Amino acid sequence: MKMKGCLLALFAFAFGAGALAGPAGAQSLGKTEIVFGGAVSLTGPAAFDGVYYKKGYELWVEQANKRGGILGAQVKLILYDDKSSPSEAVSRYEKLITVDKVDFLLGPWTSGITAPVAAVAQKYAKLFVEGGGCAEPIFQRGNKWIFNTMTAVDHQHSRNLFEWIQSLPADRRPKTATLTYHNSLWAQGCAKGVRAQAQEAGVQLLLDEAYSPTMSDATPLVSKIKAASPDMILNCGYLSDGVLIVRTLKELKVNAKVVWMSDGPPNPAWGATLGELANYTLGTTHWEPGVPYTGAKELTALYKEKFNEEIYDKVAVAWASLQVYEQAIKGVKSLDQEKIRDYIRTNTFDLVVGPTRFADNGMPTISTLLDVQWVDGKRVVVWPKKDRVLNKSIEGKEIVFPKPAR
Amino acid sequence: MQATVLQAVITGILVGGIYAAMAVGLSIIFGVMKIINIAHAAIALLCAYIAYTAFTVLGLDPVASLVLSIPASLLIGGAMFRVLVRPVLGGPPLISLLVLFGFANFLEGVMLIGWAADPRSLTPAYSASSLQVGPVIFSVTRLLGFAASCLVVGGLAVFLRRSFTGRAIRATMQDQQAALLMGVNTDRVSMVAFLLGVGTAAVGGTLLGLIYAFYPALHLLWIGKLFCIVVLGGIGSVGGVLAGATVLGVAESLTATFFPAVWAELVAYVLLVLTLWFRPAGLFGRAA
Amino acid sequence: MRPRILFVIGATVLAALVPLAQPPIYLIHLLFVIAMYITMASAWNLLGGFTGYPSFGHGAFFGVGAYTTAILFRDLGLSPFLTAPVGGLVAAAFAAAVGYPTLRLREEYFAIATMSMGFILQLVARNWEFTGGGLGLYAQPPEGYDVRTIKSLLYLAMLAVMLATLLVALWIVRSRLGFGLAAIRDGEEAAGTLGVPTVRLKMLALMLSTFFPGAAGGLWTYYITYIDAEAVFEPSISINVILMSVLGGAGTVLGPVLGATLLVVLSEVIEFTITASVKLVLFGAILMAVALYLPRGLLGWTGRRAG
């Protein structure tokens, strides 16, 4: 538990009040600056993805200011490190709201952190458009202020996989699987989805076990997987634990026809860290450069130019959350939280993650998850063949199945 | 089913060996100086990080990097002894506990600054490979770690039995007053014991880093295991430490195999508390 | 003695008036945290400083209290304002259950055992479905109340708990219980021989020392709206509490008050200006320095010891 507050806060408060009451710069808004603030995981186990949010936010703000800002006001970004800890994140957001007095909140990464932060936003009646937490329970708490840009809900993450399984001729389909999952909010929801869809597809789950977020040795877990000898190894978790599990699979000489991780494989670091071990692993992602949505190609190029590396879906969902804010602010021509919230509820948004409206609970009305597979050091889309919104073809390859044994 | 049990037991024994290498130092330090080095695991962890940097920056194999981390740990140990330990020897236990816990936190902060909280792994070429003997799979890293630990613990045991300083250490552990009367320089003996302890922690930490992913806050988890081993095995007994470490390793492994793996973390603490409650001298130690 | 009681009551009343001035919410927050740590450090001191049994896992009782009110809120809908004392009772009951065999241990073993207890509780809380497992627990204030009001009310409640803790400490210091505890601290065997009912007194000190952190934890749940095992059972809580008491002067009544105030403010300033890893380094250094050079603490040097 971190302690917060400082006597300097009194001075900060005075300064803050003074700055906000500054001279009218932008005609439409009466403000020279709009401040977006958030905390993301820059250190700790979630940092592998958290850093992409930071890059996505920074890139968007840079581009926005190049265009002249939003309605003439420059955009400023304040980002803290939540150290992959929910309680730390809660402290940061309390500070962002009460001391930094940001105009709009940006989301953190992982549902486990987004959930309590959403409660903080709700408490202070602040708008919260986020792209880091899609676990359904977050949207069932009657929070009118939260909106999500991840275009997928937790228990739908395995849908592509099981759709593909159902598309195979009956005698080729995998019949058994082991399910392991990270003991946190989103992964639990993802696991729920796996259970339901496995039952529908006639796949028997031989193992169903959660593991600790601080697991540093996967040997006992993988021993159980090995003992079960499944056709498919399914894991709902994140990059760090996924890497650990894959390494241990190799160590204990466990092979299966399908190795699927709900998150982890889409991250470029997956291939970089695992090298040859990443081959033929499957994963689920929210976005790929090849999707037929507005601005996808441009974003990919921009990102490459600025950061000189391959883009990743977290950048896109982060980008999309700021797109929502901008479009809504322009729509109501004010910074009033309630007006903007109502605007978001009643309009369509053309985002880089797809054209969408927002449902009553804050989730987007479209679902655009893709499954990818690592083949020879590259990530390729394997399912679905056509995107689910515009029904356009997505460039991809056939799944390599069964996975060649090592 | 039998194969699973066998695998679990073997894995537990191998890991136990590495625990023993880390724990034997703690046992000696407590035996000689009656001080609980609650910073022991933090030092071990620091050496894992040194191995990590040596590996990623210099390409040095973790076992080879002991050439760097052992001297580093001895330096730290020497400084620790002079500045932190010697002034509080013989004083109230709370004070020495606080001093060393302060140092442990200090080290944790240093590791956080140096390497951040992201989990790290030592991944030399052999790190995911294994040997299969019958139904049992031996991971190469665990075998290597076990072998190195045996060398360390074995070497220490020989040292304690054969060398003059070693015997002086054992004498001090048994009865400090008597040792003093016999002409043993207990101050020097304490220093040597402390350095021995810290040096073996370095080895243990590096080896454990080969098996487990690590992050700075992990030292708190490790110190619990070390305490458990020392209490189980009895203070000052190398054989006791080996026994305690094996018991812990196997217990953890079996728990993880037959229950959800998350409960394995609990084993060390529960064993520790139960032993303190019902048999504080441990399974093999002399009455404290 | 009487001046101390007046000082404590007076300072608390003054502190209680602060919200009326409509200061920045952050100031209320800071004072809340200070009051909370004064409570916990003083409570720790009852067992550690007065009786000589330094618990290295005292944060666990804070956590037990926090989880108690969170669970009562979840399952019975009861407001933590009402259930915070229940949190204290549950914490004290738990302490009594594990305290009996643990209080027989030597000082250093007691320290290790209590530290282990803290970790056991954290692990159980993190993995048991009843406590929410990895998901944590929510205790959200009802909508319609503005944040400032809620925080101010919680702050006043915490001040009440703090005052109770300090008054108990002040009472103990002058009572037969206090003399008995001091006798235990300074020579338990001799005290036993002289007829001091050591077991009974130690258990009493233990339960008093764990009730207040439990109540404080109970209020914290509502304050922070969301708790999980990582946050409320964090080892640093236990260590901070020891550091505060020792820095201020273990064994005195006002020592923990001074220590807690100084360290909370210092912690805030550091987190505001530098990073938290630097804070660990700094607090570690302070702990070492205090243990080496100032073991009797700031007030222990000038003030009178208990008993």
Side-chain angles (χ1 to χ4, degrees):
Chain A
M1 182 202 80
K2 300 297 173 198
M3 300 181 271
K4 355 188 259 290
C6 171
L7 297 170
L8 293 175
L10 282 170
F11 291 90
F13 178 76
F15 265 89
L20 283 177
Q27 295 111 332
S28 331
L29 293 176
K31 284 189 66 164
T32 48
E33 196 177 68
I34 304 180
V35 185
F36 288 88
V40 288
S41 308
L42 299 175
T43 57
F48 289 106
D49 290 80
V51 294
Y52 286 97
Y53 281 88
K54 176 166 182 275
K55 291 183 192 166
Y57 293 147
E58 282 176 352
L59 185 60
W60 190 92
V61 167
E62 186 192 78
Q63 293 296 313
N65 285 333
K66 270 203 192 128
R67 306 195 275 272
I70 302 180
L71 293 178
Q74 284 289 291
V75 179
K76 181 164 162 217
L77 179 66
I78 300 181
L79 275 184
Y80 291 117
D81 178 10
D82 64 19
K83 307 194 191 78
S84 307
S85 149
S87 51
E88 183 71 23
V90 165
S91 298
R92 296 297 119 211
Y93 276 88
E94 288 259 353
K95 181 157 182 286
L96 283 164
I97 297 173
T98 58
V99 175
D100 300 310
K101 300 210 188 285
V102 300
D103 294 305
F104 297 103
L105 296 175
L106 295 176
W109 158 238
T110 79
S111 294
I113 295 184
T114 305
V117 171
V120 172
Q122 189 181 13
K123 187 165 74 172
Y124 288 96
K126 278 202 93 78
L127 206 46
F128 189 43
V129 179
E130 53 92 12
C134 61
E136 208 165 45
I138 299 178
F139 304 94
Q140 292 169 328
R141 301 184 61 86
N143 188 342
K144 303 179 304 236
W145 299 94
I146 185 169
F147 298 95
N148 174 277
T149 57
M150 291 179 99
T151 63
V153 78
D154 53 2
H155 53 79
Q156 289 296 307
H157 273 63
S158 44
R159 184 166 69 141
N160 284 334
L161 178 71
F162 284 97
E163 251 184 36
W164 163 72
I165 291 177
Q166 304 257 36
S167 79
L168 294 172
D171 56 342
R172 279 198 78 205
R173 290 183 203 164
K175 304 273 183 303
T176 59
T178 54
L179 169 63
T180 49
Y181 56 99
H182 192 266
N183 195 15
S184 62
L185 185 60
W186 167 81
Q188 290 197 4
C190 175
K192 243 195 252 173
V194 171
R195 285 185 205 113
Q197 287 147 27
Q199 190 169 46
E200 242 182 71
V203 173
Q204 192 198 1
L205 288 182
L206 302 172
L207 178 69
D208 185 344
E209 189 169 308
Y211 55 85
S212 163
T214 55
M215 171 175 78
S216 52
D217 175 32
T219 307
L221 197 69
V222 172
S223 299
K224 288 179 182 163
I225 295 178
K226 186 182 170 102
S229 213
D231 291 332
M232 301 199 287
I233 298 178
L234 309 175
N235 187 61
C236 297
Y238 297 102
L239 182 113
S240 306
D241 33 292
V243 164
L244 191 58
I245 292 175
V246 169
R247 283 221 177 93
T248 315
L249 286 172
K250 163 100 195 311
E251 204 174 67
L252 291 182
K253 299 196 203 306
V254 186
N255 286 299
K257 297 184 187 153
V258 169
V259 174
W260 176 88
M261 310 253 158
S262 59
D263 196 1
N267 191 322
W270 180 263
T273 318
L274 285 175
E276 204 255 336
L277 292 179
N279 242 354
Y280 310 119
T281 53
L282 289 156
T284 306
T285 181
H286 296 98
W287 184 93
E288 280 284 315
V291 295
Y293 305 131
T294 318
K297 288 202 186 59
E298 290 79 2
L299 179 57
T300 308
L302 263 175
Y303 185 84
K304 179 82 190 220
E305 200 192 308
K306 178 163 167 98
F307 294 105
N308 197 23
E309 63 182 22
E310 208 189 326
I311 196 174
Y312 172 43
D313 72 340
K314 304 299 186 286
V315 174
V317 293
W319 181 275
S321 61
L322 280 161
Q323 281 186 306
V324 172
Y325 274 121
E326 182 183 31
Q327 288 181 30
I329 295 173
K330 282 190 172 146
V332 301
K333 297 209 188 348
S334 111
L335 298 180
D336 180 78
Q337 306 274 318
E338 268 196 48
K339 288 206 183 106
I340 297 180
R341 183 195 68 194
D342 295 334
Y343 181 91
I344 298 179
R345 261 189 214 295
T346 51
N347 282 274
T348 312
F349 289 77
D350 194 13
L351 307 172
V352 75
V353 295
T356 185
R357 301 180 66 89
F358 289 94
D360 276 339
N361 65 0
M363 287 233 72
T365 48
I366 62 175
S367 174
T368 59
L369 287 171
L370 306 151
D371 271 34
V372 295
Q373 187 173 37
W374 278 84
V375 182
D376 298 326
K378 285 178 93 57
R379 201 173 74 221
V380 295
V381 178
V382 291
W383 197 271
K385 304 295 181 205
K386 295 207 176 131
D387 91 285
R388 298 183 197 277
V389 185
L390 305 173
N391 211 26
K392 293 199 183 142
S393 273
I394 302 180
E395 190 188 316
K397 294 217 165 78
E398 281 298 316
I399 294 188
V400 175
F401 167 75
K403 187 166 176 296
R406 270 193 298 258
Chain B
M1 167 64 170
Q2 266 185 342
T4 316
V5 174
L6 188 58
Q7 175 79 65
V9 169
I10 302 257
T11 309
I13 293 178
L14 293 182
V15 171
I18 305 182
Y19 286 166
M22 262 208 294
V24 72
L26 188 65
S27 183
I28 291 183
I29 292 177
F30 189 57
V32 172
M33 282 166 273
K34 310 292 179 261
I35 287 213
I36 296 188
N37 183 14
I38 203 168
H40 205 78
I43 299 173
L45 191 55
L46 179 65
C47 293
Y49 275 108
I50 293 178
Y52 175 81
T53 301
F55 181 70
T56 49
V57 170
L58 301 173
L60 205 54
D61 179 86
V63 180
S65 73
L66 284 173
V67 167
L68 292 171
S69 51
I70 294 187
S73 69
L74 291 178
L75 271 171
I76 296 178
M80 261 179 88
F81 187 77
R82 280 232 171 74
V83 177
L84 300 177
V85 174
R86 196 190 271 140
V88 299
L89 274 180
L94 174 63
I95 297 299
S96 63
L97 271 171
L98 288 179
V99 169
L100 291 170
F101 201 91
F103 188 62
N105 278 334
F106 180 83
L107 280 183
E108 187 184 333
V110 166
M111 290 189 277
L112 264 177
I113 296 178
W115 289 276
D118 310 346
R120 309 277 178 197
S121 303
L122 291 172
T123 51
Y126 50 83
S127 64
S129 38
S130 48
L131 305 169
Q132 181 139 17
V133 176
V136 179
I137 297 198
F138 292 82
S139 100
V140 168
T141 46
R142 268 167 236 260
L143 270 177
L144 193 61
F146 184 73
S149 304
C150 285
L151 276 175
V152 166
V153 176
L156 194 61
V158 166
F159 174 78
L160 286 176
R161 212 150 268 278
R162 297 288 167 82
S163 79
F164 182 73
T165 318
R167 291 208 298 261
I169 289 178
R170 275 171 48 222
T172 316
M173 281 202 283
Q174 280 181 344
D175 189 335
Q176 186 162 30
Q177 294 294 348
L180 255 175
L181 287 173
M182 300 286 287
V184 170
N185 180 347
T186 49
D187 183 60
R188 189 173 152 265
V189 160
S190 297
M191 162 87 111
V192 172
F194 197 78
L195 289 178
L196 268 178
V198 169
T200 51
V203 176
T206 308
L207 296 176
L208 216 55
L210 267 173
I211 303 180
Y212 293 157
F214 50 94
Y215 46 91
L218 201 54
H219 75 100
L220 288 169
L221 229 118
W222 284 6
I223 198 71
K225 295 189 211 267
L226 298 182
F227 284 159
C228 171
I229 294 171
V230 169
V231 164
L232 264 180
I235 309 296
S237 154
V238 171
V241 166
L242 272 175
T246 309
V247 167
L248 179 62
V250 172
E252 282 182 341
S253 190
L254 286 173
T255 306
T257 308
F258 292 105
F259 296 96
V262 290
W263 297 110
E265 286 177 346
L266 210 51
V267 172
Y269 297 114
V270 171
L271 274 180
L272 170 62
V273 171
L274 289 177
T275 311
L276 283 176
W277 281 354
F278 300 117
R279 212 187 143 84
L283 300 172
F284 303 95
R286 51 216 95 188
Chain C
M1 188 284 310
R2 262 193 102 226
R4 280 192 298 187
I5 293 191
L6 286 178
F7 170 69
V8 163
I9 297 185
T12 308
V13 168
L14 272 179
L17 293 175
V18 167
L20 291 178
Q22 297 287 315
I25 290 191
Y26 224 41
L27 182 62
I28 300 185
H29 171 77
L30 178 66
L31 293 175
F32 179 91
V33 175
I34 292 180
M36 193 169 79
Y37 270 98
I38 291 179
T39 305
M40 298 208 285
S42 303
W44 179 92
N45 198 23
L46 295 179
L47 193 61
F50 286 20
T51 321
Y53 277 86
S55 157
F56 268 61
H58 225 64
F61 303 106
F62 175 80
V64 168
Y67 265 91
T68 305
T69 52
I71 291 176
L72 286 173
F73 183 84
R74 174 190 72 188
D75 293 341
L76 297 175
L78 294 172
S79 157
F81 280 112
L82 294 173
T83 54
V86 178
L89 288 172
V90 172
F94 173 75
V98 297
Y100 185 68
T102 313
L103 283 168
R104 290 181 308 177
L105 300 172
R106 273 164 51 185
E107 208 174 319
E108 54 264 35
Y109 287 150
F110 181 76
I112 305 177
T114 47
M115 191 172 101
S116 304
M117 226 80 84
F119 282 113
I120 291 177
L121 284 173
Q122 183 178 50
L123 280 163
V124 170
R126 196 197 291 150
N127 294 303
W128 193 16
E129 238 185 87
F130 179 62
T131 53
L135 306 181
L137 293 171
Y138 290 86
Q140 220 153 336
E143 236 162 291
Y145 286 92
D146 100 280
V147 179
R148 174 181 288 273
T149 312
I150 298 262
K151 285 204 172 179
S152 305
L153 287 174
L154 282 165
Y155 167 61
L156 292 176
M158 184 61 84
L159 279 180
V161 174
M162 179 193 85
L163 184 60
T165 315
L166 290 173
L167 289 177
V168 164
L170 282 168
W171 167 74
I172 288 183
V173 152
R174 293 249 318 160
S175 68
R176 275 183 49 186
L177 172 61
F179 291 127
L181 293 178
I184 294 175
R185 179 191 63 212
D186 295 332
E188 187 163 346
E189 261 189 66
T193 316
L194 286 172
V196 175
T198 54
V199 173
R200 195 149 49 91
L201 294 190
K202 281 193 292 190
M203 289 295 281
L204 194 48
L206 174 71
M207 302 212 291
L208 284 172
S209 143
T210 53
F211 173 81
F212 295 106
L219 289 174
W220 175 255
T221 302
Y222 218 37
Y223 188 82
I224 205 71
T225 339
Y226 167 83
I227 60 166
D228 66 5
E230 306 318 315
V232 297
F233 284 109
E234 207 186 305
S236 70
I237 303 179
S238 300
I239 287 313
N240 285 341
V241 156
I242 304 177
L243 177 55
M244 289 167 186
S245 292
V246 173
L247 172 65
T252 68
V253 174
L254 293 180
V257 175
L258 179 60
T261 311
L262 280 178
L263 283 176
V264 170
V265 170
L266 181 63
S267 169
E268 288 323 305
V269 172
I270 295 181
E271 280 218 33
F272 205 62
T273 51
I274 339 178
T275 65
S277 30
V278 173
K279 181 173 125 180
L280 254 181
V281 168
L282 202 59
F283 270 49
I286 294 178
L287 188 47
M288 288 191 278
V290 168
L292 282 173
Y293 305 120
L294 204 59
R296 294 188 57 194
L298 295 166
L299 289 186
W301 201 245
T302 54
R304 289 161 35 199
R305 292 192 73 115

